[in-house]
Amino acid sequence: MKINFYATRLLILMSSIFIAYSAYSQSYPITPLSNSALKAPLVINKQGSFFIGGHDVASDTLSTIPAFGAKGTITLDQMYVAYQIPFKAKSTSVVLVHGCCLTGKTWESTPDNRMGWSEYFIRRGFPTYVIDQVGRGRSAVNSASQINAVKTSQVSPEKLPTVIAASHEGAWQIFRFGAVYPETFENQRFPIFAERGLWQQMVADWNLALDEPNATPIALSALSKELKKTVLISHSESGIFPFNSAKISNDGIAGIISIEPAACPPADSDLTPYIKIPSLVMFGDFVDQSTRWAPRLKACREFVNKVNAQGGKAELLVLPEIGINGNTHMMMQDNNSIELAALLSTWIENRLSVK
Amino acid sequence: MKINFYATRLLILMSSIFIAYSAYSQSYPITPLSNSALKAPLVINKQGSFFIGGHDVASDTLSTIPAFGAKGTITLDQMYVAYQIPFKAKSTSVVLVHGCCLTGKTWESTPDNRMGWSEYFIRRGFPTYVIDQVGRGRSAVNSASQINAVKTSQVSPEKLPTVIAASHEGAWQIFRFGAVYPETFENQRFPIFAERGLWQQMVADWNLALDEPNATPIALSALSKELKKTVLISHSESGIFPFNSAKISNDGIAGIISIEPAACPPADSDLTPYIKIPSLVMFGDFVDQSTRWAPRLKACREFVNKVNAQGGKAELLVLPEIGINGNTHMMMQDNNSIELAALLSTWIENRLSVK
């Protein structure tokens, strides 16, 4: 009986080690597209754009000039979605969700004018959806009403919305091009010679001025339901959004890829919504040199471990751990961006059995 | 000799009549695309996006939260440009410039999910460029700095930027769906059943908060120079922008199409910049029922006449005058939008001898 007792303990221990090991030993093969597939004319079956979500709001501070009335109804909280469906499309689509102080432009041509991830995914056969977060880019924000209420002395200045713009110097650190502007980490991969092309992309961020809960994960949930089988690919500020969408409903979310999320769901929260969806949390290089990112990576690792301990299919990929070095926070624009897009495409094709 | 004198006078008179007549008697044939050309997969040689223009600005009110620094450099006044070049491309391109309270979305799928003008022009063979005006959509505006300066009591509230949002009720009148919301003009062509799809498109307009001169015509001028031979197609608020670009330089501007401009250049201004460029100012229906639009049409007619009197090639087309009735201010989304895109394409092909 004693032997049996120890044998059982040993078996449990070995299983735990195996589970823990397998969570970290996923392989990340990269099946690239051929040169001709990358360079041939792009054949699109359908393209266009639409909005999802939004509700009507009455305001009496829409304008302070006579040509436009102050009173009336506007629509807020809708999310802009641009899509392209390639000629021979896979059944699983991807949705690209940008981060702080950026728009859907993140995924288009890089600052040094190479192919963006959106075009890559289209060429790879994925129906591809690029969104502007609610309150950013082509998705409206309630700026006029809030500003005019203060401008006309109906509301006090400290009630103005919390709006931020990331400076070049600040973004340089946050994006881990270097420890401090304008120094660069050795062998970092962002095309610094074209940095202007990144600064041109940056816009003010109104997320802290939006009502809670943030409307983007709600819109992403509605979009996933419509798409039926989609992989939500998020970045940085939006990193947690696909998980928040999954908390609303798993419907339509075939997979989650979170690129350097500002936060993963807390490891001690209810993880049920994340168990059934294959997920990949991916980080680049130089993380341990960043007091901003090192704790986030640690927290994501705990989250991934807990999800797997409960039978989930979560993965944490730190690129240097598989020999891919030099990637910054803006890895979709780094000089190996196409290789990374191929890695993610292969991950989707393998893990979700996408043909 | 007397006979010769009168004959000469008669000849001059007849020539004048002929010139005046020909200015108004331009014909507007419509060569449509075939059904298969409208429905076949879209073959794109190259697509992507970039910014043009922009300069660095120092600020110390970028943020009011600790996670982002208040001090630093941001880039402003750049213009977002998305482009698609079809497989068999014409040598002349088009640039689509949206109006007030809208973004480049104007030209994409209509609210009732039909093909937008941008896709139509691509299918027609034109390299097609869709921009977001400076300070709108994916083109940054200085909102954070200006708001935070007041929020932190460094600047008084009345100095807040002038920002407007057009209400549904206001836009309804301005866009001439009807005399007053929710009435509609008889046989108006906007897809009212899908009005929500328009309200979702509308964003706050910061143009009055931008430095003068507005940076968009400057960026359009730079873009035209790069494109070498392009037709600037503007709408409403941006109606005058191509003319302002032509005032900077005629370089690269092969033609101007101005859809219901809020203003034409003043007829008594120096018209030299507009003489050599074929231009078309187009208005829809119900103009005489609008106190906003009737005087604008009148002023544009004077402008066109003066340009032609000086040897120019300007045209004013009021759609009901050639038997096309019911068009609203949002004619690129009206139920005959594809017919109008075909009309404009034919105009470009004929007037600019584009193959």
Side-chain angles (χ1 to χ4, degrees), chain B residues 240-256:
Chain B
I240 200 170
F241 287 1
F243 296 107
N244 291 347
S245 300
K247 209 152 68 174
I248 298 169
S249 162
N250 278 8
D251 281 7
I253 307 178
I256 291 173

Side-chain angles (χ1 to χ4, degrees), chain B residues 177-286:
Chain B
F177 300 158
V180 66
Y181 179 86
E183 292 170 14
T184 52
F185 290 130
E186 205 179 325
N187 300 321
Q188 72 79 32
R189 288 179 173 276
F190 188 81
I192 293 291
F193 69 92
E195 61 175 297
R196 175 177 157 81
L198 174 62
W199 308 142
Q200 288 170 317
Q201 290 180 28
M202 302 195 74
V203 299
D205 190 312
W206 289 70
N207 267 19
L208 293 168
L210 299 179
D211 290 336
E212 286 290 333
N214 184 295
T216 299
I218 300 170
L220 287 172
S221 171
L223 179 62
S224 302
K225 250 175 239 185
E226 271 189 27
L227 298 180
K228 293 195 170 71
K229 224 165 123 184
T230 197
V231 180
L232 299 175
I233 304 181
S234 60
H235 178 230
S236 194
E237 172 188 67
S238 76
I240 200 170
F241 287 1
F243 296 107
N244 291 347
S245 300
K247 209 152 68 174
I248 298 169
S249 162
N250 278 8
D251 281 7
I253 307 178
I256 291 173
I257 294 175
S258 182
I259 315 283
E260 298 212 347
C264 281
D268 59 0
S269 66
D270 173 18
L271 302 178
T272 325
Y274 322 121
I275 300 300
K276 287 187 184 153
I277 303 174
S279 62
L280 173 67
V281 178
M282 181 158 93
F283 277 82
D285 206 342
F286 318 113

Side-chain angles (χ1 to χ4, degrees), chain A residues 98-274:
Chain A
H98 63 83
C100 165
C101 317
L102 295 162
T103 69
K105 163 64 188 163
T106 299
W107 313 101
E108 298 176 345
S109 319
T110 66
D112 55 336
N113 206 25
R114 289 171 294 115
M115 185 188 298
W117 278 12
S118 55
E119 182 176 333
Y120 182 89
F121 281 110
I122 299 163
R123 288 184 179 274
R124 189 88 182 196
F126 293 101
T128 299
Y129 296 74
V130 176
I131 67 110
D132 282 352
Q133 282 191 38
V134 169
R136 199 92 49 81
R138 291 172 172 180
S139 305
V141 74
N142 200 13
S143 50
S145 290
Q146 294 184 74
I147 290 170
N148 291 330
V150 176
K151 197 174 165 77
T152 56
S153 306
Q154 297 172 54
V155 168
S156 62
E158 69 271 17
K159 294 273 173 63
L160 277 166
T162 301
V163 184
I164 58 148
S167 67
H168 302 178
E169 298 83 356
W172 190 277
Q173 275 191 330
I174 297 171
F175 295 170
R176 299 198 315 280
F177 300 157
V180 65
Y181 178 86
E183 292 170 15
T184 52
F185 290 129
E186 207 180 324
N187 299 321
Q188 73 78 32
R189 289 180 172 277
F190 188 81
I192 293 290
F193 68 92
E195 61 174 299
R196 176 176 157 81
L198 173 62
W199 309 141
Q200 288 170 315
Q201 290 180 27
M202 302 195 73
V203 299
D205 190 312
W206 289 68
N207 267 19
L208 293 168
L210 299 180
D211 290 336
E212 286 290 333
N214 184 296
T216 299
I218 300 171
L220 287 172
S221 171
L223 179 61
S224 302
K225 251 175 237 185
E226 272 190 26
L227 298 180
K228 293 194 171 71
K229 225 165 124 183
T230 197
V231 180
L232 299 176
I233 304 181
S234 60
H235 178 230
S236 195
E237 172 188 68
S238 76
I240 200 170
F241 287 1
F243 295 108
N244 291 346
S245 301
K247 209 151 69 172
I248 299 169
S249 162
N250 277 7
D251 281 8
I253 307 177
I256 291 174
I257 293 175
S258 182
I259 315 283
E260 299 212 347
C264 282
D268 59 0
S269 65
D270 173 18
L271 302 178
T272 325
Y274 321 122

Side-chain angles (χ1 to χ4, degrees), chain B residues 28-274:
Chain B
Y28 295 93
I30 299 179
T31 311
L33 282 181
S34 69
N35 252 339
S36 69
L38 284 171
K39 288 182 177 160
L42 199 52
V43 187
I44 304 291
N45 225 10
K46 196 164 164 45
Q47 64 171 217
S49 65
F50 58 90
F51 289 86
I52 195 153
H55 56 96
D56 291 351
V57 174
S59 169
D60 52 11
T61 54
L62 295 175
S63 164
T64 55
I65 60 165
F68 289 87
K71 254 186 203 302
T73 314
I74 59 172
T75 300
L76 292 170
D77 284 348
Q78 62 276 21
M79 182 178 82
Y80 171 76
V81 186
Y83 68 93
Q84 295 199 75
I85 298 168
F87 184 55
K88 288 186 178 173
K90 299 181 196 291
S91 58
T92 300
S93 58
V94 298
V95 180
L96 297 166
V97 187
H98 63 83
C100 165
C101 316
L102 294 163
T103 69
K105 162 64 188 165
T106 299
W107 313 102
E108 298 177 345
S109 319
T110 65
D112 54 337
N113 206 24
R114 289 171 294 113
M115 185 188 297
W117 278 13
S118 56
E119 183 175 333
Y120 182 89
F121 280 110
I122 298 163
R123 288 184 178 275
R124 190 89 182 196
F126 293 101
T128 299
Y129 296 73
V130 175
I131 66 110
D132 281 352
Q133 281 191 39
V134 169
R136 200 91 50 82
R138 292 173 172 179
S139 305
V141 74
N142 200 13
S143 50
S145 290
Q146 293 184 75
I147 290 170
N148 292 330
V150 176
K151 197 174 165 78
T152 56
S153 306
Q154 297 172 52
V155 168
S156 62
E158 69 271 18
K159 294 274 173 61
L160 277 167
T162 301
V163 184
I164 58 149
S167 66
H168 302 177
E169 298 84 356
W172 189 276
Q173 275 190 331
I174 296 172
F175 295 170
R176 299 197 315 281
F177 300 158
V180 66
Y181 179 86
E183 292 170 14
T184 52
F185 290 130
E186 205 179 325
N187 300 321
Q188 72 79 32
R189 288 179 173 276
F190 188 81
I192 293 291
F193 69 92
E195 61 175 297
R196 175 177 157 81
L198 174 62
W199 308 142
Q200 288 170 317
Q201 290 180 28
M202 302 195 74
V203 299
D205 190 312
W206 289 70
N207 267 19
L208 293 168
L210 299 179
D211 290 336
E212 286 290 333
N214 184 295
T216 299
I218 300 170
L220 287 172
S221 171
L223 179 62
S224 302
K225 250 175 239 185
E226 271 189 27
L227 298 180
K228 293 195 170 71
K229 224 165 123 184
T230 197
V231 180
L232 299 175
I233 304 181
S234 60
H235 178 230
S236 194
E237 172 188 67
S238 76
I240 200 170
F241 287 1
F243 296 107
N244 291 347
S245 300
K247 209 152 68 174
I248 298 169
S249 162
N250 278 8
D251 281 7
I253 307 178
I256 291 173
I257 294 175
S258 182
I259 315 283
E260 298 212 347
C264 281
D268 59 0
S269 66
D270 173 18
L271 302 178
T272 325
Y274 322 121

